[in-house]
Amino acid sequence: MPAISASAPGKAILIGEHAVVYGHPAIAVPVHGVSARAAVTPAIKAPPGEVHIEAAQIGIDADLGALPESDPLAAAVRAALQALGLIRPPALNVRVSSTIPIAGGLGSGAAVSVAILRAVSAFLGHPLNDEQVSALAFEIEQLHHGTPSGIDNTVITYARPIFFVKGQPPDFLQVAKPFTLLIADTGVATPTREAVAAVRAAWQANPPRYERLFAQIGDLAIQARSAVESGDIELLGPLMDANHEILQQLEVSSPELDKLVAAASQAGALGAKLSGGGRGGNILALVEPDRSNTVSDALQSAGALSTIVTTVDKK
Ligand code: PMV
């Protein structure tokens, strides 16, 4: 059996995080400049059934059987084997690597799951289709995120901009005109699970206030869809700014995020907001392509650990 590898991109949420968990629409885009990769090779000397997983960046170098149920990489390998009905697969090695920052709201967990599901199933001769990959990656997300909306696994599996509503099939955006986003990392890693749980507790304490804010975010996502699909990109900036303000009211922003959002706007970005679970992680700024260096420099001066430029197009 020849070696097989698969990769999956990162993602950013253009509009709609948190509200999407409560059934409102959101827009997510793939970030092709960063990716997770899984490479599967035959383990020639090992007995059948032996699966070895190596992920040097997170210190994993172990047999599948030695990894706990809760380990997300092991869960993805087990999910692929189970989907194929294989209890004793031929011996194999799975090597995982990623350039997506961990716990930064760029979908590193879902991308690793998608890459593993694809590489392991293809290596074993039965590549899972996108629908299967997305559904299994969602189950793995549930192990770690509690109540994920499903937006991460969907945009990462299909690697296309989507208008996402929880529980509904993917609805791809018709991007009329490509646009440029700059992603800047605060360097503060925060598990999405905690931010989602905090919003849930606040919603339970005051449902009318939070439902109003979620509905406002959903409206912004609908307006952003028409801006993207009509090519009126300049309309998108103010929608992102408005989304950030509501995320501040949801108390998922932080001084570091607010500082980067302000720096991006001052340097000429058309709009900026936090992206993902918040309380740390990344911001997203909409920029004219010829201003991306200027805005990137301003973000680095304001404390960004790193920046990524990405173009959103149909694919
Ligand atoms: O994984 P993150 O940090 O990009 O967050 C995903 C977006 C949330 O709406 C906060 C959670 C979810 O499951 O949709």
Side-chain angles (χ1 to χ4, degrees):
M1 266 179 233
I4 294 268
S5 68
S7 58
K11 73 102 217 322
I13 297 183
L14 188 63
I15 299 276
E17 48 275 272
H18 289 292
V20 70
V21 173
Y22 298 83
H24 294 279
I27 295 178
V29 299
V31 177
H32 294 291
V34 287
S35 60
R37 184 171 181 274
V40 182
T41 50
I44 295 156
K45 293 188 187 132
E50 202 161 292
V51 175
H52 192 82
I53 305 182
E54 196 189 314
Q57 286 160 303
I58 49 170
I60 291 183
D61 188 359
D63 285 338
L64 180 61
L67 289 166
E69 290 289 319
S70 59
D71 181 86
L73 275 54
V77 173
R78 289 192 185 106
L81 298 178
Q82 209 177 357
L84 303 185
L86 283 175
I87 296 159
R88 270 170 86 79
L92 51 90
N93 292 316
V94 185
R95 185 172 301 144
V96 181
S97 58
S98 173
T99 56
I100 308 173
I102 294 171
L106 295 182
S108 76
V112 163
S113 297
V114 167
I116 293 176
L117 289 161
R118 287 208 173 115
V120 170
S121 63
F123 177 84
L124 295 168
H126 298 280
L128 296 168
N129 64 32
D130 287 345
E131 207 178 317
Q132 293 170 308
V133 167
S134 184
L136 292 171
F138 181 60
E139 284 177 21
I140 298 162
E141 290 275 288
Q142 283 175 312
L143 290 176
H144 301 281
H145 286 312
T147 54
S149 61
I151 193 167
D152 279 22
N153 54 283
T154 307
V155 65
I156 286 168
T157 298
Y158 293 92
R160 289 173 63 181
I162 54 162
F163 182 82
F164 180 83
V165 179
K166 187 174 166 178
Q168 292 187 13
D171 184 358
F172 302 112
L173 279 189
Q174 301 306 319
V175 179
K177 197 163 114 196
F179 54 96
T180 305
L181 296 172
L182 196 56
I183 296 163
D185 192 353
T186 59
V188 181
T190 40
T192 299
R193 183 188 196 107
E194 287 172 19
V196 171
V199 171
R200 184 169 298 277
W203 166 67
Q204 279 163 345
N206 188 350
R209 173 170 190 266
Y210 278 77
E211 270 153 32
R212 185 170 39 81
L213 295 173
F214 295 149
Q216 286 170 5
I217 294 177
D219 281 347
L220 294 175
I222 292 167
Q223 292 177 56
R225 175 182 205 161
S226 54
V228 170
E229 296 199 322
S230 61
D232 294 324
I233 298 308
E234 63 290 348
L235 299 180
L236 205 50
L239 298 174
M240 292 170 70
D241 292 338
N243 193 174
H244 186 71
E245 274 172 34
I246 304 175
L247 289 163
Q248 287 174 319
Q249 292 176 49
L250 292 178
E251 292 181 14
V252 292
S253 193
S254 70
E256 294 87 352
L257 287 163
D258 290 344
K259 189 172 175 197
L260 294 187
V261 165
S265 301
Q266 276 153 24
L270 302 170
K273 61 181 277 290
L274 72 87
S275 182
R279 297 176 147 202
N282 286 271
I283 68 129
L284 196 61
L286 177 69
V287 292
E288 303 279 12
D290 59 0
R291 283 203 70 84
S292 68
N293 285 340
T294 313
V295 180
S296 176
D297 289 348
L299 286 165
Q300 309 240 3
S301 303
L305 219 57
S306 59
T307 55
I308 301 167
V309 182
T310 190
T311 302
V312 180
D313 209 336
K314 289 188 189 65
K315 264 264 162 199

